[in-house]
Amino acid sequence: MSARRRLGARWRRHRPLRTRLTMAASAAVALVAVGVCAAAFFVIRYELYHQLNLNLTQSATLAIQQNRNAGAGVLAGECRFLSAPACAQIVPADPAHDPREPYLLPVSRPVREVATGARQPYFTNITLADGKPARMLTTPFGGAKSLQVALRSDTVREGVSQAAWLLSAVGATGVLLAAGLGYWVSRTGLAPLARLTGTAEHIAATRDPSHRIELPPGKPGGPVKEDEVTRLAASFNTMLGELEQSVTAQRRLVADASHELRTPLTALRTNAELLARADRLTAAQRDRASGALGRQIREVSVLVNDLIDLARDEEPVPLLEEVRLAPLLAHTVDRARAHWPATPFQLELEDAGVTLPGVPGRLARLISNLLDNAAKFSPPGAPVEVALRTGELTVRDHGPGIAEADLPHVFDRFYRAEQARALPGSGLGLAMARQIARAHGAELSAHRAAGGGALFRLTLPRG
């Protein structure tokens, strides 16, 4: 790339978009205006000279018809006047046969060549003896002679000159108009982008994503008229909405996490301070305090791990594999039986060949959360029914069930129904279960079971 081109590219990069758009639009309109004026000039010039050439052709034909046997010399010499007929003269091919009287029109070698037939007839612009411009036609006369016919071209030249000045003025006006139109186009076309930029700068300054770009209104009862810039603004508004939801969710997560961590941390501190004065406690009291401290540390560890997973807002997908759900489900149910010895778990594997692409550890965590939730609300001795069928996995308990008011919120983070507030847990298990399900293309839903209890249905993706 040459230095001039590099300089031009650098200049364009450092110009504002409005300036570049104005220049581009102005240049396009200006080129059209100049091109139209130039084309009009050449058309006018051609038509004026074409008409003059037709007059010369007619005059030459008339001179040949009226002077068939004439010899070399001047036939008519009135072309010194604008309104006079064409002046004409006959020129022989051999200069030795020239007349004694001088010629009125200039005689050159091409004129002799036309007389001998070595050259075709031609038109040319000449200057007469008195300095006036003229247009001349040289054509064969017959008998080794050529005929020259000329007419004054003052009016044609003046017409061409006037057309040039007029079209130049029109072109200059067109360029100025193009500049104004280019500025108007850039200002109007970039107005939505200016609003978008202003909104982005305001959000960057205030860190408040609740602002939106105002979209142009549509017709009454009709949709908004969309163009590229409007679609960009709508997409930006959608992005701002997602950003606002994400920021709100993060703030709510932090607030809820702070609230949930306050109680176990307080209990940890109390038990730690109690154990610090172990010399004042009996052996039984020390054992109880130590056991409570260990349980609370495990609860806080589980809660922190859950918060870390939920804060990612999406499930990682490391090393996906085809997971056979039947063995995974049987293994998870066996662990639940060991953890909840008072709750019988009934496992039904109607379709033992079901597979799902995913991460076995995360799927096991999903099923374990559902089983723990069911066992937590089941009365002593009431079974938890687990079934794997084609296309779905269900977990049902026979507890108090889910109230209608609680159904839309059971998968919210830290949400705990009124009857669950006295039970252990942080309110993150079901939220994590749904997050894992969606990361694997499945959908987890909660229902009130017929006959009492809660029913959780994991709908598997269709293969």
Side-chain angles (χ1 to χ4, degrees), residues 342-344 378-384 398-399:
T343 302
S378 293
V384 172
H398 291 270

Side-chain angles (χ1 to χ4, degrees), residues 237-296:
N237 283 343
T238 302
M239 182 188 68
L240 288 176
E242 296 291 336
L243 178 62
E244 183 180 9
Q245 291 181 4
S246 177
V247 171
T248 302
Q250 289 182 0
R251 290 173 178 172
R252 185 170 60 248
L253 177 63
V254 171
D256 293 342
S258 301
H259 176 74
E260 292 293 330
L261 285 171
R262 186 178 295 114
T263 299
L265 288 178
T266 300
L268 279 174
R269 184 175 61 185
T270 301
N271 286 320
E273 291 175 350
L274 184 62
L275 288 174
R277 295 190 291 271
D279 55 336
R280 303 179 185 179
L281 303 177
T282 65
Q285 290 174 334
R286 285 195 301 270
D287 291 340
R288 285 198 300 272
S290 177
L293 183 62
R295 289 193 303 272
Q296 290 160 358

Side-chain angles (χ1 to χ4, degrees), residues 341-386:
T343 302
F345 289 86
Q346 299 177 357
L347 177 60
E348 178 185 354
L349 299 177
E350 182 178 310
D351 187 356
V354 177
T355 61
L356 178 66
V359 183
R362 303 303 293 166
L363 292 174
R365 180 69 177 276
L366 184 158
I367 298 171
S368 177
N369 286 359
L370 294 180
L371 297 178
D372 289 344
N373 183 77
K376 186 189 305 182
F377 289 98
S378 293
V384 172
E385 301 170 4
V386 184

